[in-house]
Amino acid sequence: MSFLEIRGLSKDLGEFSLKEVDLDLETGTYLAVIGPTGAGKTILLECLVGFYLPEAGHILLEGEDITRCRPEHRHIGIVYQDFALLPHMDVRRNIGYGLRRRLRGETLDNRVREMAEVLRIDHLLHRAPGTLSGGEKQRVALARSLIVKPRLLLMDEPFSALDPRTRRKLRRLLRRVIKETGTTVIHVTHDLDDVWSLADEVAFLRHGQLVQSGTVQEVMQRPRRRCVADFLGINLFHGQVRDRRDGVCRIQAGEMELVSTDRAQPGEEVRVAIRPEQVILAERCEGPVSTRNVLTCNVVDIFPENGVYLVELERGGSHLSAVVTYDALQDLRLAPGSAVTALIKSTHVAIVG
Ligand SMILES: Nc1ncnc2c1ncn2[C@@H]1O[C@H](COP(=O)(O)OP(=O)(O)OP(=O)(O)O)[C@@H](O)[C@H]1O
């Protein structure tokens, strides 16, 4: 039995439906839920917290079937992108809100102060939410959710309204607090940095369906479906294993022959994933090199992206993306129509199924 078991969870909202989602989560695991906009990530969280009752399926938390439980009986916390603080209460009362019926006076005050210290907002307890910065509000929202020791903490894009520096600081703080408290988390995000720096596992949703889930390494490095690869910006090819010898497989993928250290049987149909940042570009390649994949390509297009450049290459009708810096772009004199050599280590050609 897993800590959280979601079985065949379906919710029909007319124009959109969540379709038979199955998911298992062990205690203390941090799961990131990713996927294109409108995939149903928020609706999944809202079914878990009890805002929506599913038409079919079950949610078992620590073995207890909570599918039809009222939200307040589930002991599941939720943190939203817009913080959802109570504007007429100061920070102290906001943080202590969930404990107000169980604790009073000094005991409540002490618990609030302890949690505020953990999140480094103890100097803000007297302030009204309206006077806080975005990062401060989000720390108050986290403190308010964590103080009740939820069995499960759900977060819906909690950092999206914050600037990149605040986001980085808050991620570090959150990682520490979550590990210290042993909280199990499901975090919906569009930011792949959240996935890399916080999550143990990832689930990818699309059109209301769970397409792939697994460890961060499995999903982020080895997408098994085209839609996941496209979302993550990873090259994915279909091919057939021609042979396997000397510890490597030779795979024919369209006009490209790729060499991989991963295992597969000769004749097997496989999918192969290559991360764009693991494609090295060179003007030409003369003489022997240790890299097993040396492909002469044409540059189709070049796009700036996050401070680097994405170079779209073509070889015999197959397309391959590579990432280069501005300096490399200049040094190699890359431009649409120019020829370039792509070098990929056989350890970076991942057979994903
Ligand atoms: N109450 C509702 N009735 C009908 N459709 C709804 C309802 N709530 C949400 N939807 C639709 O369901 C789809 C999924 O919404 P959801 O908010 O879960 O997507 P998401 O994956 O969280 O997207 P984003 O990444 O943009 O936040 C959307 O097309 C949305 O318009």
Side-chain angles (χ1 to χ4, degrees):
M1 179 189 77
S2 300
F3 175 77
L4 174 70
E5 290 181 15
I6 303 176
R7 292 283 173 274
L9 193 72
S10 300
K11 177 70 199 167
D12 187 355
L13 289 168
E15 286 166 40
F16 176 84
S17 54
L18 203 61
K19 299 173 197 83
E20 297 184 19
V21 173
D22 288 319
L23 200 64
D24 280 273
L25 205 59
E26 296 306 330
T27 180
T29 306
Y30 197 117
L31 173 77
V33 179
I34 58 172
T37 182
K41 304 181 293 295
T42 299
I43 290 174
L44 173 64
L45 292 195
E46 293 185 333
C47 286
L48 292 176
V49 85
F51 293 160
Y52 285 124
L53 286 183
E55 275 85 37
H58 291 277
I59 305 166
L60 297 168
L61 188 58
E62 297 181 285
E64 180 197 353
D65 190 338
I66 59 159
T67 321
R68 314 223 150 250
C69 261
R70 292 164 69 94
E72 60 274 25
H73 294 154
R74 296 186 183 208
H75 305 291
I76 296 177
I78 187 157
V79 175
Y80 289 101
Q81 169 186 5
D82 61 2
F83 324 123
L85 299 178
L86 301 161
H88 56 288
M89 292 186 186
D90 63 13
V91 168
R92 184 188 310 277
R93 288 176 66 208
N94 262 284
I95 296 177
Y97 189 77
L99 291 179
R100 72 195 184 287
R101 291 209 180 87
R102 278 184 269 162
L103 303 177
R104 293 198 180 279
E106 207 178 321
T107 326
L108 177 60
D109 269 359
N110 288 342
R111 280 284 294 278
V112 168
R113 179 159 294 282
E114 274 171 34
M115 186 44 77
E117 279 169 9
V118 169
L119 285 155
R120 300 188 190 133
I121 43 174
D122 43 319
H123 58 296
L124 301 173
L125 289 172
H126 61 287
R127 295 264 291 273
T131 68
L132 303 177
S133 71
E136 290 166 343
K137 280 184 195 157
Q138 197 52 285
R139 279 184 283 162
V140 176
L142 281 169
R144 188 180 58 175
S145 296
L146 287 168
I147 199 167
V148 295
K149 300 197 170 106
R151 293 199 284 180
L152 176 65
L153 180 66
L154 309 178
M155 295 196 281
D156 197 356
E157 300 184 45
F159 306 141
S160 59
L162 309 176
D163 68 77
R165 184 165 168 270
T166 310
R167 217 178 286 180
R168 281 197 296 275
K169 278 168 66 178
L170 211 47
R171 269 195 210 112
R172 277 201 291 274
L173 184 62
L174 180 67
R175 188 167 50 198
R176 187 170 58 72
V177 174
I178 292 299
K179 290 295 166 209
E180 275 172 19
T181 53
T183 309
T184 311
V185 178
I186 302 183
H187 175 162
V188 165
T189 184
H190 281 136
D191 188 339
L192 299 182
D193 288 342
D194 287 343
V195 180
W196 286 114
S197 44
L198 292 164
D200 306 304
E201 296 186 5
V202 190
F204 184 93
L205 274 186
R206 180 173 176 258
H207 298 329
Q209 284 177 312
L210 184 71
V211 175
Q212 188 177 350
S213 64
T215 65
V216 170
Q217 297 300 330
E218 277 165 5
V219 179
M220 303 291 279
Q221 307 265 24
R222 298 174 160 261
R224 278 189 271 114
R225 293 273 298 274
R226 163 81 54 203
C227 58
V228 186
D230 285 349
F231 184 84
L232 298 172
I234 295 178
N235 299 293
L236 191 71
F237 304 102
H238 278 88
Q240 189 174 38
V241 180
R242 281 177 42 184
D243 60 40
R244 177 174 166 76
R245 60 186 140 89
D246 305 327
V248 292
C249 282
R250 244 168 284 273
I251 302 150
Q252 194 65 45
E255 290 295 307
M256 289 192 288
E257 189 189 278
L258 296 167
V259 178
S260 168
T261 48
D262 284 358
R263 284 176 165 274
Q265 296 307 315
E268 206 180 317
E269 300 279 341
V270 290
R271 273 166 293 191
V272 168
I274 301 170
R275 297 185 66 84
E277 59 274 23
Q278 291 172 336
V279 178
I280 309 295
L281 298 185
E283 210 164 352
R284 69 183 79 81
C285 188
E286 286 157 358
V289 286
S290 64
T291 307
R292 301 298 295 269
N293 297 285
V294 180
L295 307 164
T296 309
C297 303
N298 286 316
V299 175
V300 177
D301 218 338
I302 301 170
F303 312 92
E305 201 178 84
N306 296 329
V308 288
Y309 288 82
L310 200 63
V311 182
E312 193 188 317
L313 306 165
E314 188 261 350
R315 180 186 161 96
S318 296
H319 286 249
L320 175 72
S321 295
V323 169
V324 296
T325 60
Y326 176 75
D327 287 347
L329 198 69
Q330 300 299 310
D331 291 349
L332 294 169
R333 294 188 291 274
L334 294 178
S338 60
V340 70
T341 304
L343 300 135
I344 312 158
K345 287 184 180 183
S346 52
T347 48
H348 290 156
V349 176
I351 297 178
V352 293

